[in-house]
């Protein structure tokens, strides 16, 4: 945990996954940062998944799980993601009822996507924002995690 200078009423979440395509064995990592009341909570994990969008979804799922565990699901939450494909998946999921969801995603993604849809039903005020520019702090965390 790290004290942050800025404090606001909303909780900010940065969610990101990366895939290192340069190695024979594809390494990957996901991470998220939750900023609540000026305190930063950072979680990251190395994975061997070779599907980039699945890693992005996994990062977001873990962030939402963490918020739910902390019982923060009724607070205003702003989530910043760095993958446009993930943003489109989220937009689609938000308008589809879970019992009418027919998976057009690959089977590798279907469980993660279904979990994301289920998790989103527990949140009352969540907004998603797409960030083109990377977050240096998050990139550093991911690079350190992937090298472990």
């Amino acid at each position: 945990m790290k004290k942050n200078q800025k404090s606001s009423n909303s909780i900010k979440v940065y969610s990101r996954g990366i895939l290192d395509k340069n190695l024979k064995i594809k390494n990957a990592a996901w991470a998220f940062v939750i900023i609540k009341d000026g305190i930063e909570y950072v979680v990251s994990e190395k994975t061997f998944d070779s599907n980039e969008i699945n890693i992005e979804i996994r990062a977001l799922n873990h962030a939402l799980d963490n918020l739910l565990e902390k019982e923060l699901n009724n607070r205003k939450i702003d989530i910043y993601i760095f993958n446009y494909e993930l943003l489109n998946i989220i937009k689609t999921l938000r308008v589809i009822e879970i019992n009418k969801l027919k998976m057009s995603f690959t089977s590798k993604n279907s469980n993660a996507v279904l979990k994301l849809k289920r998790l989103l039903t527990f949140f009352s005020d969540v907004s998603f924002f797409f960030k083109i520019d990377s977050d240096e702090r998050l990139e550093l965390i991911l690079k350190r995690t992937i090298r472990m």
Side-chain angles (χ1 to χ4, degrees):
M1 286 186 272
K2 182 178 169 184
K3 189 78 172 163
N4 190 354
Q5 275 72 22
K6 291 183 182 177
S7 181
S8 70
N9 294 333
S10 69
I11 297 170
K12 298 202 181 318
V13 177
Y14 296 84
S15 169
R16 179 90 166 100
I18 62 169
L19 176 63
D20 186 353
K21 299 175 184 173
N22 298 327
L23 302 172
K24 287 181 183 178
I25 300 173
K26 291 187 171 112
N27 286 327
W30 58 261
F32 65 83
V33 176
I34 296 173
I35 304 171
K36 177 188 161 286
D37 300 326
I39 305 289
E40 292 182 2
Y41 303 90
V42 180
V43 177
S44 68
E45 183 177 285
K46 185 175 183 174
T47 181
F48 295 98
D49 199 323
S50 61
N51 184 313
E52 190 170 350
I53 190 64
N54 201 37
I55 299 163
E56 294 280 353
I57 295 169
R58 187 179 295 182
L60 181 55
N61 283 346
H62 283 286
L64 292 171
D65 269 336
N66 194 285
L67 291 166
L68 201 53
E69 285 174 15
K70 290 176 170 47
E71 298 179 354
L72 298 172
N73 51 313
N74 290 319
R75 297 267 308 263
K76 179 172 175 25
I77 301 170
D78 295 330
I79 299 178
Y80 299 88
I81 55 176
F82 302 85
N83 184 298
Y84 194 73
E85 186 179 353
L86 176 56
L87 183 64
N88 285 329
I89 289 171
I90 292 165
K91 285 179 182 178
T92 303
L93 287 177
R94 293 182 98 179
V95 297
I96 298 174
E97 292 179 36
I98 197 160
N99 60 344
K100 295 182 180 176
L101 184 63
K102 292 191 169 97
M103 294 308 297
S104 61
F105 306 99
T106 65
S107 60
K108 286 183 180 180
N109 292 340
S110 63
N111 287 339
V113 171
L114 286 172
K115 181 176 181 177
L116 176 58
K117 175 61 178 175
R118 184 187 61 77
L119 282 168
L120 288 173
T121 63
F122 291 102
F123 290 84
S124 59
D125 189 6
V126 63
S127 300
F128 290 91
F129 301 94
F130 174 67
K131 285 187 58 89
I132 292 175
D133 53 330
S134 64
D135 183 271
E136 289 180 33
R137 167 191 48 189
L138 200 50
E139 292 298 320
L140 181 61
I141 291 165
L142 287 165
K143 287 176 183 174
R144 285 181 183 160
T145 303
I146 210 166
R147 290 185 189 122
M148 292 179 13

